Amino acid sequence: MAMPTTAADPQPVGLRERKKRRTRDALVDAAHRLFLCHGYGRTTVDEIASEVEVSQRTFFRYFANKEEVALAVLAEAEEAFLEFLRARPAGENPLEAMRGAVREVWQAVDRGQDSGPAALELFELIESTPTLLAAHLRHAIQQEVEVARILADREGLDPAVDLRPRLLAAVFGTVVRISHLAYAADPDAHRHSMDGMLALIERHFDQLGPALAGSWR
């Protein structure tokens, strides 16, 4: 699954940078293959590096540890989301802006035939590995703080006084995670492309307003 890029990303600066990017992507792909085949705990950094025919020292130029390489795709997606959210039209309300930013992230991900299964495998790996799940949830909390800051800036609010930015950021993050879990639980998810993932996220967001403010009876 290719990592998302944003309009703010710089243009390639030359062969050296493209080679570094290819090496980084190859390490991520190799790590995911080995994690899925042998398990996260049983896979070593040496095995990941060997799969790409680089040294352990080269691995550590790109990633601090196995946890970082395992979560690299999601980390870049989170960064892309923040960039897209900052760039959303000022006239959009906070929820509209966040929904639009999520759509842009998933549309930036490789939409090829293997993108759906790759996303599914990544979600399953994280949910089934306590170490990765704990790390992912820590990152999610950090992400909420930054999202709340962006929303507050967009609306001219002080997040230390007005609770709405932090509250909406937390609810939004939960909706996205529930969407991912629903996608992983779908027995036919491996057949879907990113279009299926996007449609599922949209359905969950459509229920957010009625769930919070509407009658359940």
Side-chain angles (χ1 to χ4, degrees):
M1 183 168 59
M3 298 183 188
T5 58
T6 70
D9 288 336
Q11 293 298 314
V13 295
L15 179 61
R16 180 179 175 82
E17 290 303 314
R18 291 197 297 271
K19 183 178 179 181
K20 287 171 64 177
R21 183 67 195 199
R22 285 196 298 269
T23 300
R24 189 180 192 278
D25 290 346
L27 286 168
V28 171
D29 290 342
H32 286 181
R33 287 196 305 271
L34 291 170
F35 293 154
L36 292 169
C37 183
H38 304 300
Y40 176 79
R42 294 182 179 180
T43 300
T44 66
V45 168
D46 279 339
E47 289 171 333
I48 298 170
S50 177
E51 190 79 4
V52 185
E53 299 183 338
V54 299
S55 66
Q56 185 184 89
R57 184 176 179 181
T58 297
F59 174 93
F60 286 119
R61 290 196 192 114
Y62 294 91
F63 302 102
N65 47 44
K66 288 195 305 178
E67 176 185 297
E68 190 172 304
V69 72
L71 298 176
V73 172
L74 284 185
E76 293 210 5
E78 290 167 355
E79 283 300 315
F81 172 77
L82 296 177
E83 289 299 316
F84 285 131
L85 181 58
R86 291 186 185 100
R88 295 300 300 176
E92 291 182 339
N93 67 45
L95 184 57
E96 288 173 337
M98 294 173 82
R99 289 183 69 162
V102 165
R103 283 194 298 270
E104 289 186 278
V105 169
W106 282 105
Q107 288 166 355
V109 172
D110 180 8
R111 303 285 289 279
Q113 290 183 348
D114 64 342
S115 57
L120 175 63
E121 290 171 350
L122 181 56
F123 298 149
E124 290 177 335
L125 174 65
I126 291 171
E127 292 294 330
S128 64
T129 309
T131 300
L132 292 180
L133 181 57
H136 177 52
L137 293 177
R138 287 198 306 272
H139 294 165
I141 292 172
Q142 296 168 358
Q143 179 87 345
E144 286 176 13
V145 173
E146 186 59 30
V147 169
R149 185 179 297 116
I150 294 172
L151 294 179
D153 288 345
R154 284 174 55 91
E155 300 298 318
L157 304 174
D158 181 354
V161 176
D162 196 312
L163 300 179
R164 289 175 295 177
R166 187 67 187 270
L167 180 61
L168 182 57
V171 171
F172 190 88
T174 299
V175 172
V176 171
R177 182 164 184 265
I178 290 173
S179 300
H180 292 169
L181 291 175
Y183 182 73
D186 182 353
D188 294 323
H190 66 283
R191 302 176 184 175
H192 299 334
S193 67
M194 287 296 97
D195 291 330
M197 182 75 242
L198 272 170
L200 184 60
I201 291 174
E202 291 289 355
R203 287 202 300 273
H204 278 76
F205 280 128
D206 287 341
Q207 293 299 314
L208 182 56
L212 292 177
S215 172
W216 288 18
R217 297 183 179 180

